[in-house]
Amino acid sequence: MATRILHWLEDRLELSSIRRLAVHKEVPVHRFSWAYFLGGAVLFLLMIQLGTGILLLLYYRPSAEEAYESVQFIVAEVEFGWLIRSMHSWSANLLVGMAFLHLFTTFFMKAYRKPREITWMSGVLLLFLMLAFGFSGYLLPWNELAYFATQVGTDIVGAVPLIGHPLMVFLRGGEQVTGATLTRFFGFHVAVLPALTTLLLLLHLGLVQKHGMSVPPKMIGKPYQTLPFFPNVLLRDIMAWYILLAVLVTLCAFLPWELGSKADPFAPAPQGIRPEWYFIFMFETLKIIPSNVLGIEGETLGVVGFGAAALALIVVPFWDYLARRLGRPGLLTLLGVLAVIYMAVMTLVGYL
């Protein structure tokens, strides 16, 4: 009976093609081979986000009157609700951290070079979507910290030249952060962003399968050892996911994600308001820029600068091509090192 079912499925889905792909796929072995596991770790954490997010949706109510109370109910009354919520929050932070690490290793291994330019660009856009998930999800518990952080964040969006104010009103659903903002952010978080992420993820994974794993530039043209993806690398991937799951559950058990106080739009902003850790380097940068630079508002200048940096990051493969044509192949690596140091220092400054 089982054989007949397998044959029926094979005739319609051609599952053997997936098996052949896994058997023939090979992964290079070198001293930076550990970096290949980062993409799998990102995918694993994304699946945890999806699973825990669906469970939270069963109880969450996206309105200013009920959002905080529904999260309180999940944490206090629903069986293992505190664990599911903590896993969702901690895995979101680990996901962004892993995505940044994946981006940095891909950058320094030059894995964006021909023919992987589109793979790189889709990966950078996926990172931006992860940040958008973090920003939209931060408001959903409707607590005091999230409310005022969202107010600051959307104020910064309002500083974008020409389209800033309309964009801010669109995000907030009005001039102020209200229940309409919460409803919009909920819609972005559970419908718009997942749809965009699914499309980009399919493109990204399809391109990774098509072009295979890259190797560091020094190994190109030289013989190197490889490991079959199935079962050798897949088993190592699964072991890495076990370790990641253990870290995640340990964080949830010893540092459960706090809910805080319910948001009160009429209360003064509490001291020490700051965004999630992955936005702090930008937040601190905006704080140190003078209020007026050569007649241009400092915040506007900072927002334009970050927008330009984001565009430059997307087209890194073409900057690299240009740098090599000009005989400066190490210039981009140097800029990358300086950018990582700057982000790390400004993040530390934000916590001191």
Side-chain angles (χ1 to χ4, degrees):
M1 184 64 182
T3 307
R4 289 181 63 186
I5 292 174
L6 284 176
H7 282 307
W8 188 88
L9 289 172
E10 174 62 28
D11 289 342
R12 285 148 185 85
L13 301 176
E14 294 187 6
L15 298 175
S16 57
S17 60
I18 299 174
R19 183 174 56 81
R20 283 197 300 273
L21 184 67
V23 168
H24 290 108
K25 183 178 176 181
E26 295 199 327
V27 178
V29 179
H30 50 82
R31 61 178 176 151
F32 299 115
S33 293
W34 55 269
Y36 296 134
F37 295 102
L38 295 175
V42 171
L43 194 60
F44 175 68
L45 288 167
L46 198 59
M47 293 302 106
I48 289 182
Q49 280 285 286
L50 179 67
T52 54
I54 290 172
L55 291 174
L56 291 173
L57 268 180
L58 299 177
Y59 295 94
Y60 180 73
R61 293 190 289 274
S63 72
E65 293 75 25
E66 296 181 298
Y68 182 85
E69 284 75 11
S70 66
V71 177
Q72 206 170 36
F73 179 78
I74 290 169
V75 173
E77 301 294 333
V78 177
E79 201 165 358
F80 295 109
W82 66 272
L83 180 62
I84 299 299
R85 177 172 182 261
S86 285
M87 285 187 76
H88 193 70
S89 301
W90 274 115
S91 62
N93 282 271
L94 289 176
L95 172 62
V96 173
M98 279 292 172
F100 267 116
L101 204 54
H102 186 38
L103 178 90
F104 294 148
T105 53
T106 305
F107 177 85
F108 290 116
M109 286 173 65
K110 312 288 184 189
Y112 49 73
R113 287 181 176 171
K114 184 183 176 180
R116 297 181 177 84
E117 295 93 334
I118 300 176
T119 314
W120 165 268
M121 289 190 279
S122 60
V124 174
L125 292 175
L126 278 169
L127 173 65
F128 293 163
L129 285 175
M130 297 303 111
L131 297 179
F133 267 115
F135 185 61
S136 58
Y138 197 49
L139 180 67
L140 299 190
W142 197 247
N143 59 28
E144 189 178 51
L145 188 64
Y147 176 83
F148 287 104
T150 302
Q151 200 164 46
V152 173
T154 48
D155 275 341
I156 293 172
V157 172
V160 176
L162 302 176
I163 61 167
H165 185 257
L167 188 58
M168 185 192 74
V169 172
F170 171 73
L171 288 175
R172 288 181 173 178
E175 292 288 343
Q176 304 296 327
V177 175
T178 61
T181 316
L182 177 67
T183 308
R184 290 203 172 194
F185 275 39
F186 177 73
F188 294 144
H189 196 75
V190 304
V192 179
L193 294 175
L196 293 174
T197 301
T198 303
L199 291 175
L200 269 176
L201 191 62
L202 288 173
L203 172 67
H204 189 74
L205 293 178
L207 288 171
V208 170
Q209 295 306 316
K210 177 176 173 54
H211 298 305
M213 299 296 189
S214 66
V215 293
K218 289 182 180 177
M219 292 178 61
I220 294 175
K222 297 178 182 176
Y224 54 83
Q225 190 184 350
T226 60
L227 271 180
F229 176 76
F230 183 81
N232 304 53
V233 178
L234 180 61
L235 285 174
R236 295 179 189 196
D237 258 328
I238 293 171
M239 288 305 297
W241 296 347
Y242 269 126
I243 294 169
L244 207 50
L245 186 61
V247 170
L248 181 59
V249 173
T250 304
L251 285 170
C252 295
F254 290 100
L255 296 168
W257 205 264
E258 293 183 2
L259 180 56
S261 308
K262 185 174 180 177
D264 180 1
F266 300 106
Q271 293 292 321
I273 285 292
R274 62 185 175 204
E276 289 281 53
W277 62 269
Y278 37 86
F279 290 123
I280 283 186
F281 75 95
M282 290 188 272
F283 185 62
E284 290 299 319
T285 303
L286 293 174
K287 281 165 65 177
I288 63 172
I289 297 176
S291 58
N292 193 297
V293 182
L294 301 174
I296 303 171
E297 196 175 333
E299 194 172 66
T300 302
L301 196 65
V303 170
V304 171
F306 282 120
L311 286 175
L313 185 64
I314 292 172
V315 295
V316 152
F318 306 104
W319 286 118
D320 179 70
Y321 175 76
L322 189 63
R324 283 184 287 150
R325 287 288 301 269
L326 295 173
R328 306 280 185 188
L331 180 62
L332 211 57
T333 302
L334 176 64
L335 290 174
V337 170
L338 292 175
V340 172
I341 292 173
Y342 179 80
M343 290 168 68
V345 170
M346 293 307 287
T347 303
L348 280 175
V349 167
Y351 281 100
L352 293 178

